[in-house]
Amino acid sequence: MVEIRNLSKKYGDFFALNDISMTVEQGDYTAVMGRSGSGKSTLLHIIGGLDKATVGQILFEGEDIAAFSEKRAARYRNQKIGFVFQAFHLEPSYSVYKNMEIPLLIAGTEKEERRERIKKYADKLGISEKLNSVSRTLSGGEKQRAAIARALITEPKLILADEPCGNLDSVNAGTIMDIFDMLNSEGKTILLVTHQEGDAKRARKRIVLHDGAVMNE
Amino acid sequence: MNRKNFFEFLRLEICSAKKYYIIFFLILTSFFSITMSMFSSAVVVPAQYKANLREAFPKGTSLLSMGSPEKTVGMQEAGVDYISFMYNGITHNASLKNGSSILDNLLGEAQLFKNVFNKTSYMSRLDGLCVSGRMWSEDDNGVKNQIWLSKPAAAALQASVGHEVELTGRAADVRLAVIGIYEENAEEDNTPAFVISYGTAYAILDGVGEGTFFLEIYDVTRIARVVNELDKRGIDWFDMSGTVDNVNAIASSETLFWVLTVILLIIGAFAAANVLAMLVKVREKTYGLYKMLGAETNYIMNLAFSALSFLLTFSAVFGIFFSVLINGYFDGIALDLFNADFKIGLVWYAPVAVIAINSLFLLLRYFRTKRRLDKISPLIVLTEET
Ligand SMILES: Nc1ncnc2c1ncn2[C@@H]1O[C@H](COP(=O)(O)OP(=O)(O)OP(=O)(O)O)[C@@H](O)[C@H]1O
Ligand SMILES: [Mg+2]
């Protein structure tokens, strides 16, 4: 589904990513590991169309996302990618419902359809009770579940998760990891950045970055 | 991207950022109301003062001045309606072109009050034939080169209708056609009058030396302009009514009002234009998030701009409302303090001008703000929370 060819990302003279080539197959659950500063986040951002590669190609279903126009890239992020971050990045003043609604509003989904989808994913992630709560009032675990629900709302194929359990206690982290297992079993492709060996073991594949390069697979 | 849900998204945007929108609303509304009030005051207050002054001088006012007649040429452009020229010792002759000097020595030595422009002037005691007269300016409605004559003079001239009459003065010879013989009931003494053109009058007066002028100004508020022109020409004047200072005070208050209006207008428009930029600045992270979730710059820009347009519209409506209140309040103060019973009100074009200028500034700012929004990376969401 994603094929990365000779991808490099430079900040000045510094290579955050150095000649990376890898593929992600449909349905893969891949853990991305590596020391701090090894380029894990950078890789995820580039795959997700949030950042541009300096050199190289990233083919998503055969199309080079590096060549996307702003419009295309926006559509791609909206439709194909679900982002999950360590710091959740919900809009703090919006309710969970509204946070989940944003990608659908951008996509132009009808009101009824929006309501159904929000209900469906809120149920799925166990946050139905919290839909009308302002998201800054949620607990860390609830915030992350809301964030995952938002990531899933446009039913993207690829989930990019950057240390989703980094800010959570072990109980909540366990819940979140269970959710990723479930999503993968339902066919979602997942790329998960983690520092936890235990979490990485749940993934089916793993890549390790070292100074911006892939060490082994 | 998708227009379908635009207004729902707009509602979400406005509701969620209501804190900012309320602050912006308050700022804009204050500017709108103060500017509109000031604008209206600049229009209405001096006008009211002028109207009051006109009421106090229903017949206008006059200035006294000395000099030779040519010094006053063109004073009508500075706002003079009527000039009387007083001079003793003019001798003129009027004769028909064909030589028969019917009117020889008609205009004897006398005191001459001459209207150089377009109103009545009197010639007194000229020769018993013509006791009082009227002169009309060249540009007076159609009454050009006409002579109105006293009855005996008219009788004498009856034969000359359609002929050219020659008026000879000490310094000038004037020719004009006798278009008709008219009779006029002069209001004061019921004596007939005559009319000659301004050109004629001036030609007769040309070179006769210095005399005394009464410069009559029917609209008292024009006196400042006239005085200004007299000063420019180096002519001494005496303000018999004492209105010059009044009128000057009104003029300077008017200037002050307008300067304040323009300053407020520009500051307000600047504020309005910058509200858009400020909105994008304070909502940077949220807009970055919208981008991350798939919104384009254009979409977000439309969102911010539409939200702000609503805001501006509301502010304008409230601004109008408040400026009416403010002006009403000042009406009350004027009544209490100065016993001046006037209504400032809101002139309709004050809001129009204020809104137009604000919209213009906003539009100019639009493109810069858009470039700025364009530069916001979706990755901004990931920067440390403050
Ligand atoms: N905008 C930037 N400008 C300059 N250098 C950057 C920028 N973003 C990332 N880097 C550098 O690129 C390298 C890779 O960063 P990245 O965030 O991908 O690391 P990471 O593997 O995600 O680390 P961590 O585990 O701490 O999150 C780091 O050395 C970082 O300092
Ligand atoms: Mg990282």
Side-chain angles (χ1 to χ4, degrees), chain B residues 58-80:
Chain B
K59 291 191 167 164
T61 184
S62 51
L63 291 166
L64 189 64
S65 184
M66 303 276 288
S68 71
E70 72 262 31
K71 278 195 169 178
T72 62
V73 171
M75 279 305 294
Q76 69 266 48
E77 262 113 61
V80 176

Side-chain angles (χ1 to χ4, degrees), chain B residues 242-264:
Chain B
T243 45
V244 173
D245 291 344
N246 263 327
V247 173
N248 276 332
I250 294 171
S252 50
S253 78
E254 190 170 15
T255 310
L256 182 71
F257 272 132
W258 277 114
V259 166
L260 287 176
T261 301
V262 169
I263 290 174
L264 281 170

Side-chain angles (χ1 to χ4, degrees), chain A residues 110-123:
Chain A
E110 298 289 350
K111 189 165 189 150
E112 261 320 296
E113 170 82 11
R114 292 204 302 271
R115 191 176 295 146
E116 275 166 29
R117 285 240 207 134
I118 291 167
K119 190 180 176 307
K120 173 179 163 190
Y121 285 99
D123 282 348

